Amino acid sequence: MASFFTSYFLPLVLVANIFNFQTSLCDTSADEALIAGICRQVQDPPFCLNTFRQILAHPYVPEEVTRAAITQSLQNANNNHAFIEAAKAAAKDKETQDLYAICDSSYGLLITVLQDAAQSLANKDYNGLENDLSKCPKFVSDCQNVLGSKTTPEMLDRSRKQFDLIIMSKAAEGLIKK
C-alpha cells in the first residue's frame, strides 16, 4: 500500500512543484519587466529600480505599484518640504528667503495633490488620479526655476528624485486597467 502511494502521488507532487516553480519564475520576470518599463522613463533608472525593490512584494500589480510610487513620492515631498523650510529659515538675505518661500508653497501644494492622488487611487477614481498626477511636475519645476542659480547641489538632487518619483507614479498609473 505504501509503495502504491509513493509510486502514484510522489510524481504528482514533483510535477506540481515543478509547475509552481516555473509559474513563479514567469511571474517574477513579468514583474521585473513591468518595473523595468517604468524605470526606463526616469532620469535615474537605478534609483527607480532600487526604490521599487525596497517597497514592493511580488506579484506586482499596477494598482500596488502606483500606490507604492505615490507613497514614496509623498514621503519624499514631505522631506523636501522640511528641507526647504529649514533652508528658508537659515537664509541670510530677504531675496533667498522669498525664493524659498515660493518653494515652500510649491511643495505644500505638491503634498496636497499627492494626498488627493492617493485618495483617488483608494477610491478607484482613475480620472481624478490621472488629473492629480498631471499637476505634480509643475510644482517641482516651479521651485527649481525660481531658485535658479541660488539652488544647492542637495536641492538639485532632491528635485531630480522628486521628478523621478512623480514619473514613476504617472507611468504606473498609466498601466492600470480602467
Side-chain angles (χ1 to χ4, degrees):
M1 181 95 171
S3 77
F4 173 74
F5 176 79
T6 305
S7 65
Y8 184 72
F9 287 107
L10 191 59
L12 283 177
V13 170
L14 183 61
V15 168
N17 282 336
I18 290 170
F19 177 76
N20 188 32
F21 179 73
Q22 287 179 336
T23 304
S24 66
L25 282 179
C26 293
D27 290 347
T28 301
S29 64
D31 288 349
E32 290 300 318
L34 184 137
I35 297 304
I38 292 171
C39 292
R40 276 193 289 275
Q41 299 178 47
V42 302
Q43 297 172 32
D44 187 354
F47 166 74
C48 176
L49 290 168
N50 289 335
T51 299
F52 277 134
R53 287 183 180 139
Q54 289 173 7
I55 59 177
L56 286 174
H58 292 284
Y60 299 162
V61 293
E63 288 85 354
E64 289 307 312
V65 174
T66 304
R67 185 178 339 300
I70 290 171
T71 299
Q72 196 66 30
S73 188
L74 184 56
Q75 179 181 341
N76 196 69
N78 279 308
N79 292 342
N80 289 346
H81 193 235
F83 176 82
I84 289 165
E85 288 175 330
K88 182 173 78 172
K92 305 274 188 263
D93 61 282
K94 175 92 169 99
E95 179 188 6
T96 304
Q97 289 172 347
D98 290 345
L99 296 176
Y100 276 113
I102 294 169
C103 285
D104 184 12
S105 294
S106 291
Y107 269 87
L109 291 169
L110 175 62
I111 289 165
T112 299
V113 171
L114 286 169
Q115 289 169 336
D116 290 347
Q119 190 60 48
S120 292
L121 179 60
N123 294 338
K124 298 190 181 307
D125 175 8
Y126 300 121
N127 290 330
L129 173 63
E130 185 176 359
N131 184 46
D132 291 333
L133 291 177
S134 71
K135 297 174 189 174
C136 293
K138 182 173 178 8
F139 299 125
V140 179
S141 63
D142 284 352
C143 180
Q144 272 187 314
N145 292 338
V146 77
L147 285 177
S149 64
K150 297 229 182 223
T151 195
T152 64
E154 184 176 3
M155 192 62 213
L156 282 174
D157 185 56
R158 287 171 172 275
S159 295
R160 272 193 294 272
K161 286 180 179 164
Q162 189 69 59
F163 267 126
D164 280 354
L165 288 163
I166 291 167
I167 291 168
M168 290 160 60
S169 300
K170 289 177 70 173
E173 179 273 330
L175 298 173
I176 297 173
K177 298 207 184 334
K178 300 164 182 139

